[in-house]
Amino acid sequence: MSLIPAALLFALYFYLRHKDRRMLRNGVVLVGAVYFAVLALSELLTRWIPGFSLLVVLIMALVPLAILVLAAALIHNGVVMMRSEGRSLGNLLSLILGVLLLVLPVLAVLLVLTLNAWAIGLAALLFFLCSYFGVVFVVFLSYAVAYGRMASRVKPAGIVVLGSRLIHGQVPPLLRSRLDKAVEIYEQTTPRPILIPSGGQGLDESRAEGTAMAEYLFTAGVPSDDVLIEDKAINTEENLKLASLMFSASGHSGALVAVTNNYHVLRAALLARSLKLDAEVVGAPTAKYYLPSAFLREFAAVLVEHKWLHLLLCLPFIALTALLVMAVLAQQ
């Protein structure tokens, strides 16, 4: 029965989440728990409903169609991103993934049909690596969504607003949503916390993000005495680190809440934990068309930050591919 491992994994998930919700391993346990729960439900329905196993087979047969639909949706999203946000690599990620979902299966079949041992090995390696990174992405996405929906457990003494690119020196909608969320938390907290808009000046920006963000907060009615401007940070890690140092140097203490967009919460939380900050991360709404590429960009960043771990975990697949190639060569 799959019900027992499902129950044990769910219990472990809630324990680990209570202990520290800012860890990606929680997502691994959550996905494992859901997997066994689905198996358990399938086993029960197969016993109770005649012909349910045939329905499962039919659903599995529709998986290729689902992949085609997903690929089409990603390509369409990529086109929308190009028109709305420009042609940067980050904005093209959903388009690139959609094309790969169409091309890679065809490439794998063509490689196998050559009957060449090395080509078959390459096809097998593509399958293994795509499967591995597909599972890792499901873990990342599942826990990013779960973490983003968790209510903050802390009463913040400070609120760090993570910066993002200005447009013509002004706060664009993406950054505005972060600031609006920060003001909402600020107004709901007593005593009032310190607000720390954080962001330096990029090469394509006319001024520092922190300065423009502070102006927006003042316009929203936040007193200047409740705002500390951090205008040096160039990435998320520096946003958290420099804002925390400024918070402490100004004589304040207590828990922090960092505000960013919902697609960015998990990576920001992982960074806050690695910096040993007493900080949780809260997400602000993001335009729906922006989310696919944004989540893919965050996933790629997490992979890079843990590249040696993933390389180590991929070694068994490389070894298995080598064994397959040797077996095919031995038969030729």
Side-chain angles (χ1 to χ4, degrees):
M1 280 291 291
S2 302
L3 191 58
I4 294 176
L8 291 174
L9 286 171
F10 271 119
L12 178 60
Y13 166 70
F14 285 110
Y15 167 74
L16 292 175
R17 198 179 85 171
H18 176 74
K19 187 177 180 181
D20 191 340
R21 60 174 66 179
R22 303 173 303 170
M23 296 192 69
L24 196 53
R25 71 181 182 189
N26 300 350
V28 176
V29 179
L30 174 61
V31 170
V34 171
Y35 171 75
F36 281 107
V38 170
L39 283 183
L41 180 61
S42 178
E43 291 169 0
L44 291 174
L45 292 177
T46 300
R47 293 179 184 178
W48 295 342
I49 303 177
F52 181 78
S53 57
L54 293 177
L55 178 61
V56 173
V57 172
L58 177 61
I59 292 174
M60 295 300 294
L62 292 175
V63 168
L65 178 60
I67 292 175
L68 289 175
V69 172
L70 175 60
L74 288 170
I75 291 172
H76 175 264
N77 177 257
V79 173
V80 172
M81 281 292 291
M82 272 196 304
R83 292 174 177 173
S84 303
E85 303 292 334
R87 298 188 179 185
S88 68
L89 178 60
N91 293 336
L92 294 176
L93 287 177
S94 58
L95 175 63
I96 293 169
L97 180 59
V99 172
L100 287 177
L101 285 176
L102 296 176
V103 171
L104 287 180
V106 176
L107 176 62
V109 171
L110 292 176
L111 288 171
V112 171
L113 291 178
T114 64
L115 300 180
N116 177 275
W118 295 103
I120 293 173
L122 179 58
L125 186 60
L126 284 174
F127 172 78
F128 292 143
L129 293 182
C130 288
S131 299
Y132 171 77
F133 287 109
V135 170
V136 174
F137 180 71
V138 169
V139 169
F140 171 80
L141 181 61
S142 300
Y143 196 58
V145 172
Y147 183 91
R149 293 179 178 273
M150 296 178 195
S152 176
R153 299 179 298 186
V154 303
K155 180 179 179 181
I159 302 171
V160 181
V161 190
L162 306 186
S164 66
R165 187 170 68 89
L166 303 178
I167 296 180
H168 305 304
Q170 301 300 314
V171 172
L174 186 75
L175 185 52
R176 191 183 309 145
S177 67
R178 302 182 185 187
L179 292 162
D180 290 341
K181 184 67 176 179
V183 171
E184 177 187 326
I185 298 171
Y186 170 83
E187 292 178 342
Q188 293 174 352
T189 307
T190 305
R192 292 284 192 256
I194 295 296
L195 278 161
I196 312 173
S198 174
Q201 181 177 347
L203 296 176
D204 59 346
E205 294 174 315
S206 59
R207 58 175 175 163
E209 295 164 6
T211 303
M213 294 160 69
E215 286 184 5
Y216 184 90
L217 293 173
F218 299 149
T219 303
V222 178
S224 59
D225 290 345
D226 287 348
V227 177
L228 295 174
I229 303 173
E230 190 290 302
D231 58 2
K232 304 298 181 187
I234 60 172
N235 54 41
T236 301
E237 183 175 352
E238 289 194 5
N239 285 141
L240 295 166
K241 184 187 298 182
L242 296 180
S244 176
L245 291 173
M246 178 174 287
F247 179 71
S248 301
S250 63
H252 297 89
S253 62
L256 296 172
V257 163
V259 180
T260 185
N261 287 89
N262 47 13
Y263 64 85
H264 189 224
V265 288
L266 182 55
R267 188 164 73 90
L270 297 175
L271 286 170
R273 183 181 183 278
S274 69
L275 293 170
K276 297 180 171 56
L277 299 180
D278 182 13
E280 291 189 0
V281 184
V282 174
T286 307
K288 291 182 179 179
Y289 77 88
Y290 195 84
L291 290 175
S293 286
F295 271 117
L296 288 169
R297 191 164 58 245
E298 292 298 299
F299 175 61
V302 170
L303 289 180
V304 171
E305 288 163 4
H306 300 86
K307 54 183 176 296
W308 298 116
L309 172 63
H310 291 293
L311 178 61
L312 180 64
L313 293 174
C314 286
L315 288 179
F317 301 124
I318 297 173
L320 188 59
T321 301
L323 291 174
L324 176 62
V325 169
M326 287 189 290
V328 174
L329 287 173
Q331 293 178 355
Q332 288 180 347

